[in-house]
Amino acid sequence: MADNGTGDRNRDAIGRGSGAADARRGPAAWNRRGMLKAAGASALGAGMAVTGAGEAVAKPGGGNGNGQGKGAGVVRGELEFPQYGRFTIVQFNDTQDSHRTDRRTIELQEAVLDDVQPDFVVINGDVIDGGPSSVHEVKQAINNVVLPMEERGIPWALTFGNHDEDSTGETGFDEQDMIRFIGQYRHNLNARGADVTGTSNQVITIASGQGKKDAFAVWLLDSGRYAPDEIAGQGFEGYPDWDWLRFDQVEWYAQTSRELEKRRGAAVPGLVFQHIALHEHRAMWFASIDSRSDADHERAKKKHSIVGERNEDECPGPFNSGMFNAMLHRGDIRGLYVGHDHINSYTGSYYGIELGYSPATGFAPYGLEGADRNRLRGARVFTLDEREEGIYTGTELKFARDYGIDMSGAAQPGEPADFPKYVK
């Protein structure tokens, strides 16, 4: 599908209509990522001066740090490898719905959680859409999709995508408000995050089961919403105009990665979750920048060990953020996984780092064409094993179709779930 800046609007019109209206130019479209607002010199000044567990979202025993200084943006002491060494992570993507979440989205989440019994869950952006018309409805929309983990006592966190603030212009409830809200949930591990562009950029470490040293790291990055209308008087016509990781975010990752290595005495392997793809996702599928033929892809499949489906063009921002180069330089990241492009599900090894997609978990946003609309609804499971070299041992997809969930195309909105007694 289109990747020239109009694709996202076209794609959501297929699956959701007005409920997922694209608010790119609305009041909230650029409210937290002002043009180059936090990049460059401000990043050098801010450095790593951020909260650990977060002032408004701190939990007993959670996080590390007092809001400033070394170790900022790091949540430590919440996750630990079991003694037998195996740890699983589930990635849900694009649950993207209103306060009346399609009942099959919740059914899929519950089926995967009961099947896999993961140790940690990430909802990787576009948690909700623009459907809510009040703060209460925003909270209901979030509650619907986090409750499956909360009820099972599974630690969880989320990243933000391009649609999570689509209702902010009407409700006044933005991503910082959402972080404060979800901080009430007993099993949520989101922090206020690093003092860099975006919301709740953080790393959650997993302690060794054989001691308390950091054994693995889960990086959660905010890849933003949309590009500004223009920079230096130049617009983005002809370019993909979603957002991109900013320099200060990439710099924070590199600095924090060094701090983790210094603390442990060795690099801490990790996985990165963000909503919007890197430019390197596009390059990997064809093993090329300029040539994008079927023959190029056949060559790429062998070169980069690509498996899975690509049913639409990748939709990154207009600029290459440099995140891949930073990860390659640091040598600690095993893979970076995204969502955003709902009908892509592929993964591959790009010069030693896995780059991959997880398909949409939600049944509300656009899917494939016709009768296949919901065929790729699913989740991705990551397996870590402290007994294995490198710890990260692989990933697999779980699809709704394999759990006997209704695959018909018509929407099936459910009633909002009740809030836990401890959430307001």
Side-chain angles (χ1 to χ4, degrees):
M1 293 190 179
D3 67 345
N4 63 355
T6 61
D8 204 49
R9 286 172 287 183
N10 294 338
R11 296 179 310 171
D12 284 333
I14 292 171
R16 186 61 183 162
S18 61
D22 187 330
R24 99 180 313 124
R25 305 305 175 202
W30 198 243
N31 68 334
R32 81 187 199 291
R33 294 177 67 94
M35 186 172 65
L36 305 180
K37 170 180 172 182
S42 63
L44 296 174
M48 296 171 60
V50 303
T51 177
E55 295 171 355
V57 299
K59 301 172 181 62
N64 167 40
N66 57 7
Q68 297 291 328
K70 188 178 295 185
V74 179
V75 174
R76 183 176 279 114
E78 296 283 0
L79 300 177
E80 182 177 346
F81 278 92
Q83 288 189 344
Y84 62 80
R86 191 170 181 270
F87 190 103
T88 56
I89 299 172
V90 163
Q91 177 191 1
F92 293 130
N93 263 357
D94 299 276
T95 48
Q96 195 175 329
D97 210 339
S98 72
H99 60 297
R100 298 196 62 197
T101 307
D102 193 300
R103 65 172 186 82
R104 295 167 298 176
T105 301
I106 310 305
E107 189 177 348
L108 171 56
Q109 288 183 283
E110 292 178 336
V112 171
L113 296 177
D114 291 342
D115 177 18
V116 176
Q117 298 187 22
D119 298 285
F120 180 61
V121 174
V122 178
I123 303 182
N124 195 28
D126 283 0
V127 182
I128 64 173
D129 69 5
S133 59
S134 67
V135 170
H136 184 66
E137 288 183 354
V138 171
K139 292 179 177 181
Q140 287 178 316
I142 296 172
N143 182 64
N144 289 341
V145 295
V146 305
L147 210 53
M149 289 82 75
E150 194 70 10
E151 289 177 335
R152 288 162 176 78
I154 301 171
W156 60 272
L158 56 81
T159 69
F160 288 114
N162 52 300
H163 283 300
D164 289 299
E165 285 187 329
D166 278 0
S167 64
T168 302
E170 183 171 0
T171 66
F173 202 75
D174 65 13
E175 289 175 0
Q176 293 288 356
D177 296 316
M178 295 176 199
I179 290 296
R180 285 188 283 270
F181 167 66
I182 63 176
Q184 300 175 78
Y185 289 85
R186 290 173 178 167
H187 302 286
N188 173 252
L189 300 187
N190 279 98
R192 188 181 69 186
D195 189 16
V196 294
T197 304
T199 306
S200 199
N201 295 278
Q202 64 184 84
V203 56
I204 304 171
T205 65
I206 307 174
S208 170
Q210 309 304 315
K212 296 304 178 184
K213 284 191 174 182
D214 298 331
F216 203 81
V218 180
W219 300 82
L220 306 178
L221 302 179
D222 180 1
S223 56
R225 288 172 54 78
Y226 304 99
D229 290 329
E230 61 179 37
I231 293 176
Q234 301 172 24
F236 289 96
E237 296 80 8
Y239 293 91
D241 65 352
W242 287 270
D243 219 329
W244 65 95
L245 292 179
R246 302 310 175 84
F247 171 76
D248 60 341
Q249 293 173 283
V250 177
E251 183 186 44
W252 170 78
Y253 150 70
Q255 290 177 337
T256 307
S257 170
R258 293 187 189 99
E259 291 294 335
L260 294 182
E261 180 176 10
K262 182 178 179 181
R263 178 186 174 98
R264 184 193 186 200
V268 179
L271 289 168
V272 178
F273 294 97
Q274 64 181 65
H275 186 68
I276 296 175
L278 301 178
H279 276 249
E280 285 79 7
H281 283 82
R282 295 182 60 134
M284 182 178 73
W285 184 262
F286 293 102
S288 174
I289 299 297
D290 297 319
S291 182
R292 303 174 69 79
S293 67
D294 289 343
D296 291 322
H297 174 57
E298 288 304 312
R299 176 172 53 85
K301 282 171 64 177
K302 297 177 182 178
K303 181 176 183 177
H304 298 306
S305 303
I306 297 172
V307 295
E309 297 186 33
R310 177 184 183 270
N311 295 297
E312 61 178 313
D313 288 340
E314 298 83 357
C315 297
F319 304 129
N320 190 320
S321 66
M323 182 63 184
F324 184 85
N325 192 30
M327 295 188 300
L328 199 63
H329 176 72
R330 287 295 304 137
D332 56 348
I333 300 302
R334 301 295 181 256
L336 183 148
Y337 279 82
V338 301
H340 186 49
D341 306 320
H342 302 179
I343 51 179
N344 290 341
S345 66
Y346 68 83
T347 184
S349 176
Y350 193 68
Y351 299 98
I353 300 174
E354 279 190 3
L355 298 180
Y357 275 92
S358 297
T361 301
F363 278 71
Y366 76 87
L368 293 164
E369 297 290 340
D372 276 347
R373 183 182 189 276
N374 293 319
R375 179 173 61 82
L376 287 183
R377 305 303 186 194
R380 187 174 285 281
V381 181
F382 301 83
T383 302
L384 313 177
D385 195 327
E386 195 177 10
R387 299 164 297 184
E388 300 291 334
E389 184 177 357
I391 297 183
Y392 172 54
T393 62
T395 179
E396 64 175 324
L397 290 169
K398 299 286 187 179
F399 292 108
R401 62 180 187 259
D402 297 325
Y403 294 106
I405 295 172
D406 182 4
M407 294 286 103
S408 60
Q412 299 182 23
E415 292 300 319
D418 292 335
F419 294 99
K421 293 180 179 179
Y422 48 86
V423 172
K424 297 179 180 180

